[in-house]
């Protein structure tokens, strides 16, 4: 019997050949799909060398056929042109966001050093001036608080009778009153008004603060602020809170 005539022997041969290689193309497409996330941060090329087909994740030719057509049947996870272009865009964005700087292996790092001068706190004039200003401000605040305390204490003895030579709440003269009040804030004043005149530096009326002494020949009082004073005036009267009546008083800072 003569053998049957096959009009397309080559076609059948190619068909069998393609079917034998189909799993390889499917595997390539599947691997490329699974690894797309891993290669999105860098430029990558996937090559299917066994079949002679090149799948580029950087730039696919306009006429390249989808992987489904290459395989001859639908392939799950196959990459099409749109997928490849999207991956390429992601790769470009990743490279732009995290550029890599290449340095030659024989590059040398040179660090220049300069002399550093150190000035001690004691020799630093600006620092010392700052400390002095802070100390002065603190002292002024403490003096102001002490002056307010002196005025507050002096107001307790309003109405105490004037007694010549007296220095207690039972009776006080002008210098006995001031010395008694200041003793309660820890300051010992001389007993007489003429001695209290030199108990501290003189300040102007405009710079006077509550708690300063007000001296005039033969008399001494406590400045209460706002042109007012507390004093033990003269025999027959009592300790009082009144306006400054002295014509040319001297203000003395003792706090």
């Amino acid at each position: 019997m003569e053998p049957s005539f096959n009009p397309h022997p080559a076609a059948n041969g190619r068909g069998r050949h393609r079917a034998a290689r189909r799993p390889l193309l499917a595997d390539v497409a599947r691997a490329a799909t699974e690894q797309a996330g891993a290669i999105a941060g860098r430029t990558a090329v996937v090559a299917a060398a066994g079949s002679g087909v090149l799948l580029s994740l950087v730039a696919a030719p306009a006429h390249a056929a989808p992987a489904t057509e290459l395989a001859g049947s639908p392939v799950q996870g196959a990459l099409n042109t749109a997928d490849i272009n999207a991956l390429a865009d992601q790769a470009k964005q990743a490279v732009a966001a995290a550029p890599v700087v290449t340095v030659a292996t024989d590059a040398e790092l040179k660090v220049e050093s300069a002399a550093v001068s150190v000035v001690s706190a004691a020799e630093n004039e600006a620092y010392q001036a700052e400390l002095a200003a802070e100390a002065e401000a603190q002292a002024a605040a403490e003096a102001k608080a002490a002056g307010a305390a002196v005025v507050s204490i002096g107001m307790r003895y309003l109405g105490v009778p004037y007694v010549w030579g007296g220095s207690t709440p039972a009776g006080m003269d002008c210098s006995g009153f001031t010395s008694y009040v200041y003793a309660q804030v820890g300051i010992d004043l001389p007993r007489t008004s003429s001695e209290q005149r030199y108990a501290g530096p003189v300040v102007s009326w405009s710079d006077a603060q509550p708690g300063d002494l007000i001296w005039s020949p033969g008399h001494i009082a406590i400045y209460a602020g706002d042109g007012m004073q507390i004093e033990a005036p003269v025999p027959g009267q009592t300790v009082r809170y009144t306006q400054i009546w002295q014509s040319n008083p001297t203000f003395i800072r003792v706090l």
Side-chain angles (χ1 to χ4, degrees), residues 8-252:
H8 304 291
N12 291 338
R14 284 198 300 271
R16 289 193 299 272
H17 183 70
R18 181 177 299 175
R21 300 177 65 85
R22 185 178 301 166
L24 177 59
L25 290 174
D27 293 341
V28 170
R30 185 179 301 105
T33 303
E34 294 174 349
Q35 296 181 9
I39 64 176
R42 55 191 173 92
T43 302
V45 174
V46 177
S51 64
V53 178
L54 179 64
L55 300 181
S56 173
L57 298 186
V58 178
H63 61 277
T68 54
E69 296 180 6
L70 293 176
S73 61
V75 179
Q76 183 179 1
L79 296 178
N80 55 31
T81 303
D83 294 333
I84 294 175
N85 290 338
L87 290 176
D89 290 339
Q90 293 179 9
K92 292 177 181 178
Q93 294 175 7
V95 171
V100 177
V101 178
T102 304
V103 180
T105 56
D106 58 347
E108 296 182 1
L109 177 63
K110 295 183 179 180
V111 179
E112 296 182 359
S113 60
V116 178
S117 60
V118 179
V119 179
S120 65
E123 297 176 349
N124 190 322
E125 296 181 359
Y127 178 67
Q128 291 302 319
E130 182 179 350
L131 290 180
E134 292 178 355
E136 184 177 354
Q138 182 177 356
E142 293 175 353
K144 186 176 181 179
V150 166
V151 173
S152 178
I153 294 171
M155 296 290 285
R156 300 175 187 171
Y157 302 103
L158 298 179
V160 172
Y162 180 95
V163 174
W164 180 264
S167 58
T168 69
M172 304 174 177
D173 60 14
C174 66
S175 58
F177 167 68
T178 54
S179 61
Y180 185 81
V181 170
Y182 275 87
Q184 295 185 59
V185 295
I187 297 177
D188 294 329
L189 292 178
R191 177 60 184 83
T192 65
S193 61
S194 59
E195 293 173 327
Q196 290 180 12
R197 159 66 179 80
Y198 302 100
V202 174
V203 296
S204 65
W205 191 328
S206 61
D207 291 334
Q209 297 178 357
D212 291 343
L213 290 174
I214 303 176
W215 179 87
S216 60
H219 188 64
I220 196 85
I222 296 174
Y223 182 51
D226 297 328
M228 304 296 288
Q229 65 181 353
I230 309 171
E231 63 173 352
V234 292
Q237 296 187 12
T238 62
V239 174
R240 64 185 183 180
Y241 173 75
T242 185
Q243 289 185 339
I244 296 175
W245 51 264
Q246 298 90 321
S247 60
N248 189 26
T250 299
F251 292 85
I252 304 165

